[in-house]
Amino acid sequence: MSAAAQGRRGAASLLFVAVCSACAPGHRVEVRDAHAFEALRGGTGGLYATIVNPTDSAEQLDSVTSPASPRVTAHDSREMNGMVSMVPLDHPAIPAHDSLVFTPGAAHLMLEDLPRDLKAGDTVTATFWLHRTGPVAVEAIVRPY
C-alpha cells in the first residue's frame, strides 16, 4: 500500500473513532426512566420519561409514537386562576447540558385511545423522535396506579 493510501486509511480510521466516540453513552441524547401507569382500553394513559441532553447543542422533541396508542401527545399541566389545565407542548426544547422531564402533574405524554388495557408489569414500546438525534426507542414498564 502506498504512503498516500496509508495516510488516507489512517485519517479515515481517526474520523471513525471520533464519530463513534460522540455516540458513546453519556455523549448523546438519551431517554431514561420510561414508565407508564395502568390504564383501561379506550381511555388515556400517561407516559413518563426523562430526556437527557449531555451534548453541546440544543435538541427538540418532534414527536413520540407507540404501537400501544394510535396517538401520543405532549402536554404541560398549569395552574391558572386556581384551575389546573393542560396546555399542548409543541416541539418542546431540551437545552444543551440539560434535560426534559415528563412527570405526573407537570409536563407529560398521553397515550390516547388505548386499543388494550395497560396492566402492571406490561411493557410499552415508545419511540421518541428527536430533531437532531433521530429516533430513540425505549421500553416503558407499566406500573400500578
Side-chain angles (χ1 to χ4, degrees), residues 73-105:
T73 56
H75 295 87
D76 194 7
S77 298
R78 296 191 183 148
E79 184 178 340
M80 295 179 224
N81 301 324
M83 300 281 297
V84 176
S85 61
M86 289 190 301
V87 178
L89 288 177
D90 188 33
H91 305 288
I94 306 106
H97 304 286
D98 205 347
S99 59
L100 172 60
V101 179
F102 290 106
T103 188

Side-chain angles (χ1 to χ4, degrees), residues 36 45-47 63-73 109-116 118 123-129 136-140 142:
L47 177 63
S63 65
V64 178
T65 58
S66 174
S69 171
R71 190 170 65 169
V72 181
T73 56
L109 298 164
M110 295 173 60
L111 301 165
E112 299 183 22
D113 304 319
L114 293 169
R116 65 175 177 87
L118 298 181
T123 58
V124 172
T125 302
T127 302
F128 289 70
W129 296 88
V136 177
V138 298
E139 292 287 323
V142 178

Side-chain angles (χ1 to χ4, degrees), residues 5-19:
Q6 286 178 345
R8 285 191 300 274
R9 184 176 178 187
S13 296
L14 287 175
L15 177 60
F16 178 76
V17 170
V19 169

